[in-house]
Amino acid sequence: SSWPKHRVARSLHSQDMAATSGQFCACWALWTLVGLDQISHAATKSYCPLPWNANASLPHGIDLDAKCPYGTRLEYFDVTVPTKLDAISRMCIFWGIVPFGVIAFAVVDSIVRAIQLRGFGTRELAFLAFVIFMVAVNELVTKKLAKEARPPHSCDYTCGFPSGHSVMSIGFFTLMFLDAAYRVMPRVPLDFPSAKSHVKAMKGRAKTLFGYTLWEWLIGDFRAFVSVVPLTSAHTLNQLDFCSFAFAWGIFLLPVPFSRVILNDHTPSQVMVGSAVGLLQAALYFMVIRHTILPRMNHFLGKRIGYVLVHNFALPVYEVVSRCYVLLAREKDQDLDGEARLRTMQKLEECHTQLGWYIQQSEMQLTSCKSWFAFDEDHVLIRCERDKLRKLRSDVAEHLAHRQHDCVVSNDSGCSDSDETWSS
């Protein structure tokens, strides 16, 4: 009751916006499923008759009521369940469903994180947009142009070139692998204080194979499943996490193309072309996102974009640290003109904001439930990393404060017009 009326109104307005954003994000995720279903429904119009259901007197030359003599077709998954099932066939059926399971989990993950963030995360948006783009191009364009039938023993009567399952599985894996590979940074002591803290923490602990404790071996495999979307939620990965992440997703996604050939749903050429298309689409999509969008949006980390989106798709921390040092060195260059110096100062202000977000993430890693999945050495190295980030952020703030003071005294044209007052 002691708050001013305008603050109360602003608080209520923010709550209404957050609730509206959460509802919108849930609707967006559900709309994604509906859109994919509509794309799949439109794709079923690209019929390619097989010997067991071909009938030239019927529309599209196919008898949709004909019964497949080789098994049954799993509706919505385009997977043939053979009449005679063995262990290999069952595994292949499972792998045929995996790409759709990944999409379903991605939608659920998007809804859950939208509720947590009170907005739709840009990380989740990036993956769902990739799914829609990939499925739409393959089902509505490529297959309709190629018009190539599946193998004769398939129970699926839609066109089979290229393999949609292969496009999705290899596309998902390629996007995951490239994104994770760009985030790898060895988490090891790189200075004397870090090494001293590391030695102190490791002293006397019971080691087993390769220097890990029994608890670390038990939880090591689960660290790969922190995210159910093939885009890691961590901004930086160490070598073990990268290998575990890639290995886990590789088990689920890489066998999918082979399973399509074993079930007679695609020819080897259809699978090979589909895998190549998925790899190319994922590589191009990743290059655009990684080198064009993310660097320009990183200063929005943790902030709301357009009342609906919340930016949570971060660059790796080492890249931001490197950028800060480069900007500090560039700003001290005496050859910079006023306009170039102004741009550099503005970028330094953005780096100062970004470093605050990464420090917050480090503190959350130390205090949240994620610490249960952290190794003993992780706690020590995360604390050292947090302290280094704090020191760098303080140096950036001090430099900005000195520069702001010099600007006030000399009325330099290379001054920032920011209203923020910096202090070391």
Side-chain angles (χ1 to χ4, degrees):
S1 59
S2 60
W3 279 20
K5 292 183 179 180
H6 70 277
R7 290 191 178 181
V8 175
R10 186 182 303 172
S11 177
L12 294 175
H13 179 63
S14 299
Q15 293 176 7
D16 292 340
M17 287 174 50
T20 303
S21 299
Q23 295 172 0
F24 177 85
C25 295
C27 292
W28 166 265
L30 294 176
W31 177 85
T32 301
L33 285 180
V34 174
L36 292 175
D37 180 69
Q38 292 297 321
I39 292 173
S40 177
H41 177 71
T44 57
K45 296 181 180 179
S46 58
Y47 298 121
C48 288
L50 296 173
W52 58 269
N53 65 356
N55 191 331
S57 62
L58 295 177
H60 307 289
I62 184 173
D63 182 5
L64 296 178
D65 296 325
K67 185 177 180 180
C68 179
Y70 309 108
T72 57
R73 174 177 178 263
L74 276 183
E75 204 66 40
Y76 302 110
F77 299 110
D78 289 343
V79 174
T80 296
V81 179
T83 303
K84 295 182 179 179
L85 283 174
D86 53 21
I88 295 179
S89 297
R90 288 185 173 90
M91 290 300 298
C92 290
I93 293 171
F94 165 77
W95 275 310
I97 300 175
V98 163
F100 300 94
V102 172
I103 297 174
F105 277 118
V107 172
V108 174
D109 180 73
S110 301
I111 295 175
V112 172
R113 292 183 184 273
I115 296 173
Q116 294 174 346
L117 298 173
R118 295 180 177 269
F120 199 82
T122 52
R123 165 182 164 269
E124 293 75 36
L125 175 64
F127 181 73
L128 292 180
F130 175 66
V131 172
I132 294 176
F133 164 75
M134 174 184 292
V135 174
V137 171
N138 187 65
E139 299 296 334
L140 301 182
V141 179
T142 311
K143 284 191 175 182
K144 287 183 177 294
L145 293 176
K147 283 284 187 178
E148 181 177 310
R150 297 173 184 266
H153 289 185
S154 175
C155 291
D156 193 2
Y157 43 78
T158 59
C159 298
F161 184 88
S163 167
H165 286 70
S166 300
V167 172
M168 288 191 292
S169 61
I170 300 302
F172 293 166
F173 183 82
T174 302
L175 185 64
M176 176 280 304
F177 188 88
L178 292 176
D179 179 72
Y182 266 71
R183 299 179 183 278
V184 175
M185 182 181 74
R187 184 165 281 167
V188 293
L190 296 177
D191 54 28
F192 182 75
S194 300
K196 188 176 180 180
S197 301
H198 177 76
V199 171
K200 183 178 179 180
M202 298 297 104
K203 185 181 298 184
R205 76 169 189 163
K207 296 182 179 180
T208 56
L209 186 61
F210 299 121
Y212 295 108
T213 64
L214 178 61
W215 170 251
E216 290 172 348
W217 274 110
L218 292 175
I219 67 174
D221 293 335
F222 293 99
R223 288 158 62 102
F225 294 95
V226 175
S227 171
V228 295
V229 176
L231 287 176
T232 177
S233 57
H235 59 76
T236 307
L237 299 171
N238 61 31
Q239 307 99 306
L240 178 61
D241 288 337
F242 168 74
C243 293
S244 300
F245 196 67
F247 179 75
W249 280 109
I251 290 177
F252 282 103
L253 295 174
L254 293 182
V256 172
F258 300 97
S259 70
R260 305 301 290 158
V261 177
I262 294 175
L263 292 177
N264 292 309
D265 279 328
H266 287 287
T267 63
S269 61
Q270 293 173 349
V271 164
M272 292 176 62
V273 173
S275 300
V277 170
L279 189 149
L280 180 61
Q281 288 180 343
L284 292 176
Y285 187 83
F286 171 77
M287 297 301 288
V288 172
I289 293 291
R290 181 61 177 77
H291 295 288
T292 304
I293 298 177
L294 288 187
R296 298 181 181 181
M297 299 292 293
N298 207 57
H299 61 282
F300 286 108
L301 282 172
K303 297 180 181 179
R304 193 174 298 278
I305 303 175
Y307 302 108
V308 174
L309 299 178
V310 176
H311 191 29
N312 63 341
F313 198 10
L315 291 173
V317 64
Y318 66 82
E319 188 168 331
V320 176
V321 171
S322 174
R323 183 183 300 178
C324 288
Y325 281 120
V326 170
L327 289 173
L328 285 173
R330 184 181 300 168
E331 206 281 328
K332 293 181 180 180
D333 187 357
Q334 300 298 327
D335 296 333
L336 285 181
D337 56 19
E339 185 177 352
R341 192 176 300 277
L342 174 60
R343 289 196 300 267
T344 302
M345 293 295 293
Q346 291 173 342
K347 291 180 180 179
L348 271 175
E349 292 177 2
E350 294 177 357
C351 280
H352 183 271
T353 303
Q354 296 172 45
L355 289 172
W357 185 87
Y358 287 100
I359 292 172
Q360 183 182 15
Q361 296 300 306
S362 298
E363 293 173 347
M364 289 175 58
Q365 283 183 307
L366 294 172
T367 58
S368 67
C369 60
K370 289 183 180 180
S371 296
W372 290 98
F373 291 96
F375 294 169
D376 291 339
E377 59 185 9
D378 287 344
H379 292 278
V380 178
L381 297 175
I382 289 174
R383 283 196 296 268
C384 294
E385 179 183 288
R386 179 198 59 189
D387 294 340
K388 291 179 181 179
L389 292 175
R390 286 177 174 174
K391 177 64 169 59
L392 176 58
R393 190 168 190 255
S394 177
D395 292 341
V396 172
E398 183 178 359
H399 182 84
L400 290 170
H402 287 314
R403 184 60 183 164
Q404 188 180 53
H405 178 267
D406 294 341
C407 289
V408 172
V409 172
S410 61
N411 194 22
D412 190 350
S413 62
C415 297
S416 172
D417 56 357
S418 173
D419 294 331
E420 186 168 0
T421 301
W422 300 97
S423 62
S424 59

